[in-house]
Amino acid sequence: MWIKRRIAIKDHAAEANLFARRAIIALILVVIMVGLLLSNLYNLQVNKYSDYQTRADGNRIKVQPVAPNRGLIFDTQGVLLAKNTPVHSLDIIAEDVKDIDALLVRIKTLIEVSADQEKSFRRALKQNRRRRFKPISLIDRLTDKQTAIIAVNQHLLDGVLIDARLKRDYPYADLLTHALGYVAKINPKDAARIEADGLDANYAATRDIGKLGLEKYYQNLLHGDIGYRKVEVNSRGRVLREMESQAPTPGNNLHLHLDIELQKVAQQQLLGNRGAVVVLNAVNNGILALYSNPSYDPNLFVHGISSKNYNALLASKDRPLINRSTQGQYPPASTIKPLIGLLGLEQGLITEKTKMWDPGYYQINDLEHKYRDWKKWGHGHVDIYKSLEESCDTFFYDLALRLGVDAISEKMVKFGFGEMTGVDIFEESSANMPSRAWKAGRFRQSWYAGDTVSIGIGQGYWTSTPLQIALATSVLANEGQFFEPKLLNAIESSTGKINSPAQDRPPIVLKHPNNWKIIKRAMRNTVEKPTGTAHKAFVDTTYQAAGKTGTGQVIAIAQDAEYDKDKIAERHRDNALFVGFAPFDNPKIVVAIVVENAGGGSSNAAPIARQIMDTYFAKHPLAADSLIPILSPLP
């Protein structure tokens, strides 16, 4: 049997030294490793403490932007026109959701989600692809029952939040839409504009923005400044406690010249008709009423209008989305005759005593074509007073032709025709003040004498907005003093209330200031004298009004044809117009009315102006000296 033999140790000292060296090396390696470990621990715990603390806090602590409350809007008497109402919305943070489709299916098993709401959500989700951390609303306005159902099941709905916030509300619905406008969700175009203006940080928590009217024009005043709150959250993102906060600065409140009572009268009087009413404070051209009919409820847009409702507004032949008071382009008709007469007096082509014979028509140099007067048997001998009082067309055909289009166009622009009025909403048309150059550029045609004859009675190529007509008449009533029309009266912030000054333009100065009084007296005759076209509408008023009626032709009538409204399509009938001011001796109010396809201005527009003026003076009784009749006889 073989027995393993033990190897004898030959050199005990050498082997001890080898072991010692290996042990020392191992010890050194251990020390180095421990040193590296301690060094790294020091680096993590000391050098990078703040970095990792920030990361940890980022998981535990969130800084949430807080949207400011939007400023309120009041009328001239302090009546609240636009307010903020608390609502609950169902929001989704896409970053916290693994499967959006599955989440939507789960939500729809709990509460009703319309097709429009889901479509809008998916569109917003696509548009905000780079900002998946931002909440996106699925339902803007939850009912109490829906809120309770989602709250109970929220632990099953990752990424779903119930957000309580203030939403814009318009208590007067369609009464003020075209003046106030509305707010709606911020879309990509809005976001791009906000970013370009360097305001994206201030809009971090804002969801709605002014889209129309005052809400858009004064967006920066109404919005306010953002706040924040620092909160501690758990692993699921639920807020455990608020650690720190800074309240947002609410937007400024706006106080308007608008009088809600006059606005109501305007709506009542236009009921069933298309048209517009503009009422100005004659002292500073503050807008007391600005109404366009038909209108629509702006609250539909605030909460997200359905495709069905929006398409109905777009398809309506009555065009409710158009603000007729500032965008409607109408022939001003006879409402501009006072201004044509004023220009004739200034040019010396007529005087207070100039008379002409009106046989019921007018011919240019005995040409065959006859420009008819509305009174086919004529007005007989007429001067500036009678021509305005009875609205004689023939007098102004002749005067316009002698003035020429160049002089008329140049002077009427100074009264505000053919340009923006300066009103504080963006939805405005300049309409058209024709000239030779305009026609050459537009139609590549020469200007003819017949074109000039037509604009002498506010027809032809001349179009204007109701606001332009009111503004020009205000300048006339104030004998050249020119203020831009404004809705805003005062701005109220946390520091107090500041009145918004009236913005004036250079006044219109006449060579013969008495010409103002001649034209104004003629407008007074229109209301005061029994033969005046507006007399019936203003019988027994407690104030002295002055004005001018107008009947705007929509389609041309053949020379040998008679106008018969019963044989003409409703939308081809004449427009009814009236413009006036009161009191005559110290104007306080200017009213302009346009009623589409209603017929004569004396019977269809002037009575509306009477109701508005009655309402105004019932609230603002006149001083005794304003009630004294004019002692000098009317011409």
Side-chain angles (χ1 to χ4, degrees):
M1 179 177 179
W2 180 79
I3 301 175
K4 184 177 180 181
R5 299 175 65 185
R6 178 179 299 175
I7 300 173
I9 297 175
K10 298 178 180 180
D11 190 342
H12 294 280
E15 290 192 10
N17 289 335
L18 177 63
F19 177 80
R21 285 196 301 272
R22 289 177 178 176
I24 290 171
I25 291 171
L27 179 62
I28 291 172
L29 289 175
V30 170
V31 170
I32 290 173
M33 295 298 293
V34 171
L36 289 174
L37 182 62
L38 291 175
S39 175
N40 191 46
L41 185 62
Y42 178 85
N43 186 49
L44 292 174
Q45 295 290 335
V46 178
N47 292 340
K48 295 186 176 181
Y49 169 80
S50 58
D51 292 342
Y52 287 102
Q53 179 67 31
T54 301
R55 293 187 189 183
D57 286 344
N59 295 327
R60 182 176 62 89
I61 299 171
K62 300 288 185 183
V63 177
Q64 299 177 337
V66 180
N69 293 341
R70 193 171 182 84
L72 307 177
I73 302 178
F74 300 88
D75 88 334
T76 188
Q77 302 295 328
V79 177
L80 188 57
L81 307 180
K83 61 182 182 178
N84 302 316
T85 302
V87 296
H88 288 92
S89 66
L90 190 157
D91 298 343
I92 297 175
I93 301 177
E95 191 176 48
D96 296 339
V97 181
K98 293 180 179 179
D99 188 339
I100 288 288
D101 293 332
L103 178 63
L104 290 176
V105 170
R106 192 174 302 134
I107 291 173
K108 285 191 282 188
T109 62
L110 299 173
I111 61 174
E112 181 181 356
V113 180
S114 70
D116 281 334
Q117 288 170 334
E118 183 174 350
K119 182 179 179 181
S120 177
F121 169 78
R122 290 186 181 278
R123 183 169 58 247
L125 185 66
K126 185 177 180 180
Q127 292 167 349
N128 289 274
R129 191 179 304 166
R130 296 172 61 185
R131 298 184 176 183
R132 293 173 60 84
F133 58 89
K134 291 194 69 175
I136 300 174
S137 289
L138 175 62
I139 302 177
D140 269 334
R141 187 169 46 172
L142 293 168
T143 64
D144 292 342
K145 182 178 179 180
Q146 289 175 326
T147 303
I149 291 172
I150 295 298
V152 168
N153 292 277
Q154 195 167 357
H155 65 287
L156 301 174
L157 305 171
D158 290 340
V160 172
L161 303 174
I162 296 177
D163 186 28
R165 63 178 185 271
L166 295 176
K167 201 77 171 174
R168 204 57 154 178
D169 181 55
Y170 302 100
Y172 289 97
D174 62 346
L175 181 61
L176 295 158
T177 304
H178 293 105
L180 299 187
Y182 57 82
V183 301
K185 288 182 181 179
I186 294 176
N187 59 34
K189 186 182 294 185
D190 298 322
R193 187 171 62 251
I194 290 169
E195 188 173 354
D197 293 339
L199 299 173
D200 44 332
N202 199 37
Y203 279 76
T206 303
R207 306 199 178 197
D208 297 328
I209 194 171
K211 297 283 188 176
L212 206 70
L214 278 171
E215 293 277 25
K216 181 178 181 179
Y217 194 91
Y218 292 114
Q219 168 64 25
N220 291 340
L221 286 176
L222 289 163
H223 179 259
D225 295 319
I226 196 171
Y228 72 87
R229 65 175 189 151
K230 186 181 290 186
V231 296
E232 184 178 1
V233 297
N234 62 15
S235 59
R236 299 184 64 84
R238 184 182 294 276
V239 175
L240 300 178
R241 65 187 178 98
E242 184 176 295
M243 302 172 65
E244 183 183 337
S245 68
Q246 178 178 312
T249 303
N252 298 302
N253 297 332
L254 303 186
H255 294 261
L256 309 183
H257 290 285
L258 274 178
D259 186 330
I260 192 64
E261 295 303 321
L262 294 181
Q263 196 80 1
K264 288 178 180 178
V265 174
Q267 184 184 54
Q268 292 164 1
Q269 293 297 311
L270 281 180
L271 192 64
N273 292 294
R274 298 177 301 277
V277 173
V278 177
V279 185
L280 302 179
N281 180 338
V283 176
N284 56 16
N285 281 347
I287 299 175
L288 302 177
L290 190 78
Y291 183 69
S292 174
N293 200 61
S295 185
Y296 58 94
D297 186 354
N299 293 301
L300 294 173
F301 287 86
V302 175
H303 300 292
I305 189 168
S306 67
S307 299
K308 179 181 178 181
N309 288 336
Y310 186 59
N311 289 332
L313 289 174
L314 286 176
S316 173
K317 62 181 181 180
D318 292 331
R319 303 176 71 196
L321 294 173
I322 296 296
N323 183 352
R324 285 170 162 80
S325 56
T326 58
Q327 294 176 304
Q329 301 181 43
Y330 306 95
S334 296
T335 60
I336 52 83
K337 287 179 179 176
L339 300 176
I340 299 293
L342 179 67
L343 182 55
L345 291 169
E346 272 292 282
Q347 298 283 356
L349 297 178
I350 59 172
T351 69
E352 195 174 359
K353 297 181 180 180
T354 299
K355 290 188 177 182
M356 72 167 290
W357 175 255
D358 170 27
Y361 59 88
Y362 180 75
Q363 290 176 284
I364 302 173
N365 298 327
D366 296 325
L367 295 177
E368 183 180 350
H369 184 81
K370 293 180 179 180
Y371 295 89
R372 296 179 297 181
D373 192 284
W374 68 268
K375 197 174 188 179
K376 62 181 180 180
W377 54 87
H379 297 268
H381 285 101
V382 293
D383 57 13
I384 186 63
Y385 292 104
K386 187 175 181 180
S387 65
L388 287 174
E389 171 193 331
E390 299 183 14
S391 199
C392 172
D393 293 332
T394 304
F395 186 91
F396 292 96
Y397 288 146
D398 179 72
L399 180 55
L401 192 60
R402 289 194 286 152
L403 283 167
V405 65
D406 297 328
I408 294 174
S409 181
E410 178 188 353
K411 298 300 180 183
M412 292 304 105
V413 167
K414 292 184 177 180
F415 278 90
F417 291 103
E419 63 179 16
M420 300 297 186
T421 63
V423 65
D424 43 354
I425 57 175
F426 292 116
E427 300 76 42
E428 183 183 17
S429 169
S430 62
N432 184 50
M433 185 65 241
S435 64
R436 293 179 189 275
W438 170 83
K439 188 179 180 185
R442 178 73 170 80
F443 298 107
R444 299 185 182 277
Q445 294 179 0
S446 299
W447 187 271
Y448 301 111
D451 297 330
T452 305
V453 169
S454 294
I455 69 169
I457 61 166
Q459 293 283 168
Y461 298 117
W462 191 348
T463 60
S464 61
T465 66
L467 182 59
Q468 287 176 336
I469 296 171
L471 176 60
T473 304
S474 173
V475 175
L476 173 59
N478 287 291
E479 300 187 1
Q481 190 177 35
F482 199 129
F483 291 103
E484 292 184 347
K486 297 294 180 185
L487 287 159
L488 180 62
N489 183 26
I491 302 169
E492 180 188 0
S493 67
S494 57
T495 58
K497 188 175 177 181
I498 302 174
N499 289 328
S500 179
Q503 296 182 3
D504 62 335
R505 296 187 187 181
I508 296 176
V509 180
L510 300 185
K511 294 180 292 185
H512 307 287
N514 188 55
N515 289 334
W516 294 116
K517 293 178 173 53
I518 293 172
I519 296 300
K520 289 167 67 177
R521 180 64 62 83
M523 294 178 72
R524 171 69 181 143
N525 289 355
T526 302
V527 172
E528 179 70 11
K529 284 195 170 184
T531 52
T533 56
H535 175 70
K536 289 182 180 179
F538 285 88
V539 172
D540 298 329
T541 60
T542 59
Y543 49 88
Q544 295 174 339
K548 185 69 193 75
T549 59
T551 303
Q553 204 172 53
V554 176
I555 59 170
I557 303 296
Q559 187 170 345
D560 56 350
E562 292 286 337
Y563 176 82
D564 186 348
K565 70 174 185 178
D566 294 331
K567 295 182 180 179
I568 296 176
E570 187 267 341
R571 290 176 186 269
H572 292 164
R573 296 173 188 170
D574 294 341
N575 294 331
L577 298 92
F578 177 84
V579 66
F581 60 90
F584 168 73
D585 57 342
N586 185 20
K588 300 293 184 185
I589 184 175
V590 176
V591 181
I593 313 289
V594 177
V595 187
E596 294 180 13
N597 313 120
S602 58
S603 56
N604 297 289
I608 296 176
R610 165 70 186 271
Q611 292 299 317
I612 290 172
M613 289 185 179
D614 283 355
T615 302
Y616 177 83
F617 288 115
K619 294 179 64 175
H620 304 85
L622 294 168
D625 56 356
S626 297
L627 299 174
I628 299 174
I630 302 172
L631 298 178
S632 57
L634 296 174

